[in-house]
Amino acid sequence: MHSGIPKVLFYCANRYLVRSLSTESPRVRFAPSPTGYLHLGGLRTALYNYLFAKSRGGSFILRIEDTDQTRKVEGSVEGLKRDLEWAGIECDEGPGFHGDCEPYVQSERLDFYKEHISTLLDNGTAYRCFCTERRLNIIRRDAIRSQRTPKYDNRCRNLSHEELKEKMESGAPYCIRFKLTSDCQTFEDLIFGNIAYDVSLNEGDPVLMKTDGFPTYHFANVVDDHLMKITHVLRGVEWQISTTKHLLIYRAFGWIPPKFGHMPLIVNADGTKLSKRQSDVKVEDYRNNGVYPLALVNYITLSGGGFDHVPGSGVRLKTMEELAEEFQINKISSHPSRLNPDLLAECNRLEIKRRLKDSALSDDLVADLKNLITKTYPEHKLNLSDEHVQSVLNWAVSRITRIDELVSNKFGFLWILPTTKIDVDQPLLKKLVQNLEDLEKFDQNSLKHNLKSFSKANGVNFPVLMKMLRSTLSGLDEGPGVAEMMDLLGKSQSLERIKAIVR
């Protein structure tokens, strides 16, 4: 963990440029590629950027990085925006949100990249590369055979003026590469602290513009962050190794870079890598499986750091406003964030409890549960009064973590008439019906006392009576106490179920 917010000290054109970003309003961005669904790691990146911006009165920008057109998935941009909105992450600028830096889709910004690549060609920090794919494959193959790291040999960097002119006149296809240097090897990571990496020792000159006229990630990323006035870049740790390369590009332009912070990997509880192929990493799947947005957001923050947490204090669900107010970037751990599924279950339970205390949200919960019930039991006579559904939710809030649990076999008796699995003493139950009809108070305590008195007066073993009633009322061998069950079902429904057996 790295504490404090250092200044960026950056050497450029024989002078030091100092950018102190601790006081200005931050501008951050979430810049996904439209290659599919939003996964948990992407949501964490978007969330922490959003919380950082809002904690300092800044702006959160959505930018779509679609320079690799071969991987673009139709509809994914709309899906990303839908998932962010569902999670409560509001974009200040971006596709469909407008802003001063439009457009926010990289494939619509090609003129910007062409203009800025000319600057680097003119100042000699970039060059045209005419190497064919076949030659590059040979270089890669030979390096692997020799157990060396595959990298471009920078051959075209040293083409003579005559060679360059000849190739241009012949119409040979080319890309544009950046001239790496080794004199910018360190930067201060907001989360990991000082990072040293000499990119020129491990990589050949990187491509900035591809032969199809589209920029690579590294080039478009730097140009867009500068033009959109991004002050802080918070992204996954997998991009940390590229940051030195990006800083060199900033220097080539003479621009002041933003501050960089790289968030650690999200891993499973056992430390294994979270795979996109797993069914529980898509935000859409969490939503479809009954997880509420605020629960998922809190789950991420509990796993990823960024907040003061007192050990043993338990889980407290926080609103987005509270999360933004309490967020501290220097509290993010540099260690991998381990997910604990039990925390998600508890967060979702707390969110159900919170919603039940809000009249509007409570009405929505009742409507959602009624919809689930009718879909689950389409051919049954259902007990679906709003009052009953509300009372069940209030009763169940400490027993469930998702409302769809209330349409499982365990709780199905709450809505439909059960099938009794045991033989019952019909004369005894007829007497009980008369007894219960005369009962003035039909609450749990009164019922418990009355049932004990009834069993004693009729010479029946109390556990035997309870087993008979449990089966009659719910069709279950175990579950809530019988008096509790009858209180929950209500007098009318309880009597109806007993009468259905003794007719």
Side-chain angles (χ1 to χ4, degrees):
M1 186 181 300
H2 177 64
S3 61
I5 301 181
K7 294 180 179 180
V8 171
L9 190 62
F10 194 78
Y11 181 75
C12 178
N14 298 319
R15 69 184 188 278
Y16 284 95
L17 298 177
V18 180
R19 185 177 199 173
S20 177
L21 302 176
S22 58
T23 56
E24 65 181 297
S25 295
R27 284 177 61 83
V28 301
R29 46 69 167 180
F30 176 52
S33 297
T35 55
Y37 56 82
L38 180 64
H39 57 86
L40 206 59
L43 180 61
R44 192 268 303 265
T45 299
L47 174 65
Y48 277 36
N49 273 280
Y50 176 79
L51 294 177
F52 180 74
K54 297 310 167 187
S55 69
R56 299 181 173 207
S59 300
F60 174 79
I61 296 141
L62 175 65
R63 186 173 76 220
I64 303 301
E65 300 196 338
D66 62 343
T67 56
D68 188 348
Q69 293 285 293
T70 62
R71 299 176 62 225
K72 185 176 180 179
V73 175
E74 289 301 320
S76 58
V77 174
E78 291 73 18
L80 286 164
K81 291 166 67 175
R82 183 171 58 250
D83 286 341
L84 291 176
E85 181 182 8
W86 174 81
I89 298 174
E90 300 173 351
C91 301
D92 297 301
E93 301 174 31
F97 301 102
H98 306 297
D100 296 334
C101 300
E102 292 183 305
Y104 294 94
V105 178
Q106 286 187 336
S107 60
E108 300 172 11
R109 298 175 59 82
L110 298 184
D111 288 343
F112 291 104
Y113 309 132
K114 290 177 182 177
E115 175 188 346
H116 285 84
I117 200 66
S118 296
T119 299
L120 298 188
L121 287 170
D122 290 344
N123 69 19
T125 56
Y127 62 93
R128 295 175 177 85
C129 173
F130 299 89
C131 291
T132 63
E133 190 63 32
R134 181 175 179 275
R135 181 176 186 274
L136 296 175
N137 285 334
I138 291 173
I139 294 173
R140 191 178 301 112
R141 183 192 64 198
D142 290 347
I144 293 172
R145 283 179 177 174
S146 304
Q147 296 184 329
R148 292 179 285 109
T149 301
K151 64 177 184 177
Y152 178 56
D153 60 2
N154 301 345
R155 175 182 179 180
C156 290
R157 179 196 275 217
N158 301 312
L159 289 178
S160 67
H161 178 73
E162 290 73 20
E163 289 174 315
L164 180 60
K165 181 180 179 182
E166 179 184 344
K167 289 184 178 293
M168 291 293 291
E169 289 178 348
S170 70
Y174 63 87
C175 66
I176 299 176
R177 292 181 181 270
F178 180 70
K179 292 181 180 178
L180 288 178
T181 59
S182 59
D183 55 349
C184 182
Q185 301 180 48
T186 64
F187 70 96
E188 194 73 16
D189 192 300
L190 292 170
I191 296 168
F192 284 81
N194 191 60
I195 299 295
Y197 180 71
D198 190 343
V199 65
S200 65
L201 294 179
N202 298 282
E203 300 180 33
D205 290 343
V207 175
L208 298 183
M209 293 286 281
K210 296 175 285 188
T211 55
D212 61 3
F214 274 78
T216 60
Y217 164 81
H218 303 292
F219 183 61
N221 187 278
V222 169
V223 171
D224 287 344
D225 281 349
H226 174 74
L227 295 181
M228 294 181 183
K229 302 179 178 66
I230 300 302
T231 61
H232 297 71
V233 173
L234 305 180
R235 56 190 178 187
V237 71
E238 65 271 19
W239 295 111
Q240 190 180 69
I241 201 170
S242 299
T243 304
T244 302
K245 187 187 308 180
H246 297 168
L247 289 172
L248 287 169
I249 299 173
Y250 274 102
R251 189 177 72 174
F253 278 116
W255 294 340
I256 303 173
K259 295 176 74 68
F260 292 90
H262 294 89
M263 290 174 283
L265 290 173
I266 296 179
V267 297
N268 294 308
D270 60 1
T272 57
K273 185 178 179 181
L274 201 65
S275 171
K276 290 184 181 181
R277 288 186 291 272
Q278 291 174 276
S279 61
D280 57 351
V281 300
K282 294 168 63 175
V283 172
E284 181 183 15
D285 286 343
Y286 284 103
R287 180 171 68 244
N288 293 339
N289 289 331
V291 174
Y292 290 103
L294 195 60
L296 187 59
V297 162
N298 274 263
Y299 175 51
I300 290 172
T301 61
L302 288 169
S303 304
F307 301 85
D308 285 319
H309 181 68
V310 180
S313 61
V315 177
R316 182 176 74 84
L317 201 71
K318 300 175 183 178
T319 64
M320 288 294 269
E321 291 75 16
E322 290 173 324
L323 289 171
E325 184 178 340
E326 297 177 21
F327 179 74
Q328 300 175 64
I329 194 169
N330 62 323
K331 294 289 184 180
I332 298 177
S333 172
S334 59
H335 300 294
S337 302
R338 290 180 180 247
L339 294 176
N340 180 353
D342 292 339
L343 286 177
L344 177 60
E346 177 62 9
C347 286
N348 214 49
R349 186 189 69 79
L350 291 173
E351 173 61 356
I352 293 173
K353 185 176 181 180
R354 184 187 75 88
R355 289 179 173 231
L356 282 171
K357 293 179 180 179
D358 182 294
S359 58
L361 294 176
S362 180
D363 289 345
D364 290 341
L365 267 182
V366 169
D368 290 344
L369 181 52
K370 288 174 72 171
N371 186 47
L372 273 173
I373 296 165
T374 53
K375 285 183 177 179
T376 306
Y377 308 107
E379 298 178 0
H380 287 76
K381 179 184 177 183
L382 300 172
N383 181 20
L384 283 187
S385 69
D386 285 356
E387 182 181 0
H388 175 59
V389 175
Q390 179 77 54
S391 67
V392 168
L393 281 166
N394 290 331
W395 167 80
V397 71
S398 62
R399 295 170 169 83
I400 62 170
T401 59
R402 302 192 317 269
I403 65 168
D404 62 1
E405 293 174 39
L406 290 173
V407 293
S408 65
N409 292 336
K410 181 179 179 181
F411 295 111
F413 75 91
L414 294 165
W415 323 112
I416 62 174
L417 294 176
T419 301
T420 302
K421 298 178 181 178
I422 63 172
D423 293 330
V424 297
D425 185 335
Q426 294 213 9
L428 181 68
L429 289 184
K430 285 181 179 179
K431 285 185 180 181
L432 181 61
V433 167
Q434 293 175 347
N435 175 278
L436 293 174
E437 284 179 336
D438 294 336
L439 195 63
E440 292 185 6
K441 288 187 176 181
F442 208 83
D443 58 72
Q444 185 174 336
N445 289 332
S446 300
L447 285 164
K448 191 180 294 184
H449 175 75
N450 184 73
L451 290 172
K452 285 184 177 180
S453 298
F454 178 84
S455 67
K456 186 176 182 180
N458 287 274
V460 60
N461 186 277
F462 185 69
V464 172
L465 177 62
M466 292 301 98
K467 183 177 181 180
M468 192 186 310
L469 278 176
R470 184 186 304 281
S471 180
T472 299
L473 294 167
S474 69
L476 300 174
D477 295 327
E478 57 184 25
V482 171
E484 183 180 14
M485 195 181 293
M486 294 174 75
D487 184 9
L488 193 60
L489 290 170
K491 187 172 185 176
S492 175
Q493 186 66 212
S494 297
L495 287 171
E496 181 182 341
R497 294 186 180 200
I498 299 172
K499 288 177 181 179
I501 296 296
V502 299
R503 284 173 185 158

